[in-house]
Amino acid sequence: MELHRREDRGLPERKGQKRKLEEEIQEDREISLPSSDARCALLAEVTAQVNVLDSAFSWREPDRAAAKRAAHVLAELAKNEEVVNVIVEGGAVPALVKHLQAPPYDDGDRSPKPFEHEVEKGSAFALGLLAVKPEHQQLIVDSGALSHLVNLLRWHKDVSSSRAVISVIRRAADAITNLAHENSSIKTRVRMEGGIPPLVELLQFTDAKVQRAAAGALRTLAFKNDENKNQIVECNALPSLILMLRSEDAAIHYEAVGVIGNLVHSSPNIKKEVLAAGALQPVIGLLTSCCSESQREAALLIGQFAATDSDCKVHIVQRGAVRPLIEMLHSPDVQLKEMSAFALGRLAQDTHNQAGIAHNGGLVPLLKLLDSKNGSLQHNAAFALYGLADNEDNISEFIRVGGVQRLQDGEFIVQATKDCVAKTLKRLEEKIHGRVLNHLLYLIRVAEKPVQRRVALALAHLCSPDDQRTVFIDNNGLELLLGLLGSTSPKQQLDGAVALYKLANKAMTLSPMDAAPPSPTPQVDGSMLTESAYLLLQMHSVLCLMEVIGKKMQEILKFQTLDGRFLS
């Protein structure tokens, strides 16, 4: 099972939304957004600011101050997505693109410039906000924004790393992220414009916010674009990304693990390169991150690593991934549980891992997740349980904690989950023999009454007809099932009745030709009954007993025979 990775896996509610720029320009005066019925006034305001930008493209200090202010006004307005269309309609895009580059210098004039880099920063910020709406992405690119934004990324080489330079680089990276979001053609255009190498270089920039912005852009560019993935790896991004995985800054390691996740998705060769570069241990370390988003990305990545080969599955467990993954199963975050169940399901394809996951307490929380109303979570849990049921060392524990009843009683959302559960029950049935059966018989004899009943109920459905006498006559399994009929719990009464009917049905399918050799011990009527006939007699007695007490139970249960089952 492969999961689809989003470009931005944020909070569960964030699916499908555009990536927002994370910080706002701080100014003394706040701009009041016009109401929806003042559209004309808004358009007039936008047009006024666009006229300022068009007429103030020079190094004169009044022009620079006016252009800075105009870019900021447009950016503040663009924070409200409801008015973005009006801003674009007012002609803001070409005016802002124009100011992504500095005005021309006079020959030989290299004196300090007023508001240097400030107008470019404001313009990049505003364009990034306008790109939040996908219908405007292509317009911005067609206006020539990409080449200017890529040039801004290179400023860290050409000029001193002043606060203004750092800000403009970060805004340029964020704008590229928003322009390329879910737009495959623009992702390719960024690569063609030479945007990937400077973004990779910025992963080593001294400012953490720039690192984060560069990683965010690479994360988007790598999503479902093989050529971009290959160039990112060729530009030697992996060593920097792996170092970022170890960062104590949650925002940095979240973006880094997201880039790596998008690189390895559907790319087996890159997955091998990532593992060879040393990503496995820091990714496992992120399973205990303080950031749930990083944990979720790491768990998904562990599941993808686990599909590489058997050795990798074993190495993941040896390096300590199982316990934190099991702890995630208890999280209130549905997506975190979904990803951890996905990873455990992949790991559970190895025999020794199957035993280790169950031994470390993974069985019960996975069974509880079968009750989830989330189809993906439910299926991931069912798939993991299917893996655990493959190991004989887990079968007794599976039955002891009521796993069979949960599989039988579950309400499963998608057909794939129903099929998986059916295969799990079949797998359990195939293993009820030898040492597994001996252990279950031991539990029937010595365990506490609730466990004894769970074992008897499970064996009524799963054990071979040849083992029925051993289980239900010699080891009192029948008495345990009969006891359920007198329970005060309607559910237990129904479970007991269904199990008894299942046993009777199995007994009646035994033909005399297939029956065991005659018992040398005379039965109560003096005849020599076969073991199967004796069991059939016991089952007949049970059905008679049920008929006798039927009136008493009628208020609670209604039995109806249909295809060998009792319906409530």
Side-chain angles (χ1 to χ4, degrees):
M1 173 183 169
E2 188 62 87
L3 297 186
H4 296 291
R5 176 184 290 274
R6 296 202 307 276
E7 295 172 41
D8 177 29
R9 297 190 68 93
L11 297 173
E13 295 81 6
R14 199 180 295 173
K15 183 175 182 179
Q17 295 180 359
K18 296 297 180 181
R19 183 179 186 275
K20 302 298 189 293
L21 302 181
E22 298 181 30
E23 293 190 6
E24 302 175 356
I25 296 177
Q26 298 298 319
E27 292 286 338
D28 294 333
R29 184 173 71 87
E30 294 185 356
I31 298 176
S32 298
L33 297 177
S35 58
S36 57
D37 60 355
R39 187 177 187 280
C40 291
L42 171 62
L43 187 58
E45 172 75 3
V46 171
T47 302
Q49 303 304 327
V50 168
N51 290 336
V52 170
L53 290 173
D54 287 338
S55 61
F57 193 62
S58 78
W59 280 115
R60 294 178 57 248
E61 185 166 353
D63 285 346
R64 293 294 286 175
K68 175 187 174 183
R69 187 63 191 162
H72 172 67
V73 169
L74 292 173
E76 287 294 302
L77 292 174
K79 290 176 183 177
N80 182 353
E81 288 189 37
E82 295 179 359
V83 303
V84 164
N85 290 343
V86 180
I87 297 172
V88 173
E89 182 184 335
V93 169
L96 290 167
V97 169
K98 179 180 180 180
H99 282 272
L100 288 175
Q101 54 185 333
Y105 290 93
D106 294 333
D107 291 340
D109 181 12
R110 288 292 182 265
S111 60
K113 303 300 180 188
F115 303 107
E116 192 169 21
H117 316 308
E118 294 290 342
V119 182
E120 296 92 321
K121 176 181 70 175
S123 298
F125 184 33
L127 287 167
L129 291 170
L130 296 178
V132 161
K133 286 206 168 184
E135 58 265 34
H136 303 317
Q137 293 170 336
Q138 196 62 49
L139 171 64
I140 295 170
V141 170
D142 290 344
S143 297
L146 272 185
S147 60
H148 297 318
L149 290 170
V150 171
N151 286 333
L152 294 179
L153 295 178
R154 298 191 178 104
W155 277 13
H156 72 285
K157 287 184 174 182
D158 302 328
V159 293
S160 61
S161 296
S162 65
R163 181 177 178 182
V165 169
I166 291 172
S167 294
V168 76
I169 293 172
R170 178 163 61 93
R171 295 303 185 192
D174 281 337
I176 289 173
T177 300
N178 281 11
L179 284 169
H181 184 82
E182 295 183 357
N183 192 314
S184 57
S185 63
I186 292 179
K187 290 175 188 177
T188 299
R189 283 282 298 273
V190 173
R191 184 182 76 251
M192 300 302 292
E193 294 281 355
I196 289 178
L199 286 169
V200 172
E201 292 172 5
L202 289 171
L203 296 177
Q204 300 184 48
F205 197 73
T206 55
D207 184 84
K209 292 180 180 179
V210 171
Q211 288 182 30
R212 185 174 66 207
L218 291 171
R219 176 188 191 139
T220 295
L221 295 173
F223 185 69
K224 293 184 178 180
N225 190 305
D226 291 339
E227 291 80 6
N228 285 1
K229 291 180 185 182
N230 291 333
Q231 188 172 82
I232 291 168
V233 174
E234 290 165 3
C235 288
N236 202 33
L238 294 182
S240 298
L241 290 169
I242 290 170
L243 287 174
M244 292 169 70
L245 291 177
R246 300 182 183 274
S247 172
E248 295 183 3
D249 186 331
I252 289 179
H253 64 231
Y254 167 66
E255 293 292 358
V257 74
V259 179
I260 292 175
N262 283 352
L263 288 173
V264 306
H265 180 69
S266 301
S267 300
N269 291 334
I270 292 179
K271 189 185 300 182
K272 292 177 182 178
E273 289 191 54
V274 167
L275 287 169
L280 182 55
Q281 197 62 53
V283 169
I284 291 174
L286 290 182
L287 295 175
T288 54
S289 168
C290 61
C291 171
S292 63
E293 296 173 349
S294 297
Q295 287 181 291
R296 191 163 62 243
E297 288 285 350
L300 175 55
L301 199 47
I302 289 295
Q304 292 174 320
F305 286 158
T308 305
D309 53 51
S310 296
D311 286 344
C312 191
K313 291 182 181 68
V314 174
H315 295 161
I316 289 169
V317 174
Q318 289 174 334
R319 289 168 176 254
V322 169
R323 285 189 180 275
L325 285 171
I326 291 173
E327 289 175 7
M328 289 182 198
L329 297 176
H330 300 280
S331 170
D333 185 331
V334 172
Q335 285 194 334
L336 189 57
K337 289 188 287 192
E338 179 187 344
M339 293 303 103
S340 59
F342 168 71
L344 289 168
R346 287 294 186 84
L347 294 173
Q349 303 310 301
D350 176 85
T351 301
H352 297 294
N353 290 353
Q354 292 160 0
I357 292 168
H359 178 73
N360 281 284
L363 189 55
V364 171
L366 284 170
L367 285 168
K368 289 181 178 178
L369 292 182
L370 294 178
D371 296 332
S372 171
K373 302 304 180 185
N374 180 289
S376 296
L377 174 55
Q378 194 182 65
H379 183 72
N380 286 348
F383 183 73
L385 290 167
Y386 174 71
L388 298 185
D390 191 41
N391 193 308
E392 288 189 353
D393 290 329
N394 294 340
I395 306 304
S396 297
E397 182 66 11
F398 206 111
I399 292 174
R400 189 187 70 82
V401 299
V404 172
Q405 284 75 45
R406 281 189 176 271
L407 292 173
Q408 291 174 331
D409 297 341
E411 297 180 3
F412 304 113
I413 298 169
V414 298
Q415 186 61 44
T417 306
K418 296 175 184 177
D419 295 341
C420 185
V421 168
K423 290 178 181 179
T424 303
L425 287 168
K426 183 64 176 176
R427 178 171 275 183
L428 291 169
E429 183 178 1
E430 292 170 349
K431 296 186 182 297
I432 305 298
H433 57 80
R435 64 187 180 95
V436 173
L437 180 58
N438 287 335
H439 189 196
L440 292 171
L441 293 175
Y442 175 77
L443 291 176
I444 283 182
R445 293 194 299 271
V446 305
E448 296 179 352
K449 185 67 71 175
V451 174
Q452 291 178 330
R453 288 173 172 172
R454 289 186 203 124
V455 174
L457 285 169
L459 290 178
H461 292 274
L462 301 179
C463 80
S464 166
D466 294 337
D467 295 320
Q468 285 184 332
R469 178 183 176 86
T470 301
V471 176
F472 295 100
I473 304 302
D474 297 342
N475 286 277
N476 297 321
L478 189 58
E479 182 180 341
L480 291 167
L481 296 181
L482 288 169
L484 289 172
L485 297 179
S487 169
T488 58
S489 166
K491 177 65 168 63
Q492 287 190 349
Q493 289 180 340
L494 180 59
D495 287 344
V498 171
L500 288 166
Y501 189 83
K502 183 76 172 179
L503 280 177
N505 223 27
K506 284 185 179 181
M508 285 184 285
T509 63
L510 290 174
S511 68
M513 296 296 295
D514 296 330
S519 170
T521 306
Q523 303 302 321
V524 292
D525 62 354
S527 64
M528 301 291 287
L529 298 178
T530 64
E531 291 185 0
S532 60
Y534 178 71
L535 182 58
L536 178 57
L537 178 60
Q538 294 293 326
M539 294 299 101
H540 179 70
S541 300
V542 169
L543 292 176
C544 292
L545 176 62
M546 289 168 59
E547 185 177 350
V548 170
I549 66 173
K551 292 182 180 180
K552 179 180 178 181
M553 297 173 59
Q554 193 171 10
E555 297 177 358
I556 305 172
L557 298 173
K558 292 181 180 178
F559 296 118
Q560 178 182 359
T561 305
L562 179 62
D563 294 333
R565 292 174 292 141
F566 277 102
L567 302 181
S568 58

